Amino acid sequence: SLLTSIDDPYVDGTFTDDVDGLPTEHPNAPKNLEMTPEEGEVLRYNTQKTSQRLIDTLVARGKYNWQAFGNQDGAGSSPRASTCTQWMRARCTPEFQRDPLMMTLDASPQNIDQVLAAFLIVRPPVGYLGYGWESDDRNWNSIFLRDFGIPMGLCQEVSTGVFSRKWSTQTVTLNCNSVRQPFSLICFC
């Protein structure tokens, strides 16, 4: 059960449904259960309250809930060549570190290093790189096993369009100005 998994070191988060309260995703549930509109509202309120209690409990244990990221079922955007500098600048601020980050992994050979570099450079304390909840083993990538250590500071724009962040094992740099590949020149040094 979810409650017994909270202390499991191999579980770092969970996915739940109807976080806005039943019957948000199942509008016929109260009618099918022969509930009055008032009873339906009580059910919605209490399932929403229970969901928030679950999120609070997970966060207190250093874990997280998918829906608390704020992107519903999918993962958030990744930078593109045409928006790289703008995308990075919007996230390369101390204020950005206050919110969780969900970022889609573009695992295409021409983009995977750039997307990984962008994620590592802007990643807040709670960050996710991958796919929406509907992902399966076909989307697995060995990049998820790489250990980059812990961040030793925040994102820096070291020169116009060039972003960097030091990690305990290396420094990650992304040059959004490069015309080679979509936005290349990544240094995992």
Side-chain angles (χ1 to χ4, degrees), residues 6 14 48-65 68:
I6 288 176
T14 186
Q48 188 177 42
K49 190 174 164 182
T50 299
S51 177
Q52 188 58 53
R53 218 169 52 234
L54 169 65
I55 290 170
D56 293 343
T57 301
L58 288 166
V59 169
R61 297 270 173 65
K63 298 169 190 267
Y64 218 67
N65 175 277

Side-chain angles (χ1 to χ4, degrees), residues 1-119:
S1 87
L2 188 58
L3 292 177
T4 58
S5 72
I6 288 176
D7 291 320
D8 188 325
Y10 297 106
V11 177
D12 59 5
T14 186
F15 169 85
T16 55
D17 208 359
D18 294 314
V19 295
D20 292 327
L22 184 71
T24 303
E25 294 183 34
H26 306 282
N28 294 326
K31 180 182 164 198
N32 293 342
L33 295 169
E34 299 179 6
M35 299 175 92
T36 66
E38 293 78 22
E39 290 170 325
E41 182 56 27
V42 168
L43 176 63
R44 185 205 58 77
Y45 172 78
N46 284 310
T47 54
Q48 188 177 42
K49 190 174 164 182
T50 299
S51 177
Q52 188 58 53
R53 218 169 52 234
L54 169 65
I55 290 170
D56 293 343
T57 301
L58 288 166
V59 169
R61 297 270 173 65
K63 298 169 190 267
Y64 218 67
N65 175 277
W66 184 274
Q67 285 72 23
F69 279 102
N71 284 345
Q72 297 302 344
D73 291 340
S77 69
S78 298
R80 299 285 174 240
S82 61
T83 62
C84 180
T85 299
Q86 177 186 0
W87 192 96
M88 292 295 292
R89 281 185 182 148
R91 291 157 180 82
C92 191
T93 65
E95 295 78 26
F96 186 75
Q97 297 294 305
R98 288 183 265 169
D99 296 319
L101 168 67
M102 288 184 76
M103 197 167 140
T104 300
L105 175 63
D106 179 348
S108 62
Q110 69 271 22
N111 289 331
I112 191 167
D113 286 343
Q114 291 85 351
V115 170
L116 176 61
F119 176 77

Side-chain angles (χ1 to χ4, degrees), residues 21 23 30 108 111 163 178 186-187:
S108 62
N111 289 331
F163 300 86
S178 176
I186 292 87
C187 176

Side-chain angles (χ1 to χ4, degrees), residues 9 17 109 115 129 158 165:
D17 208 359
V115 170
L129 177 65
V158 294
R165 186 177 195 182

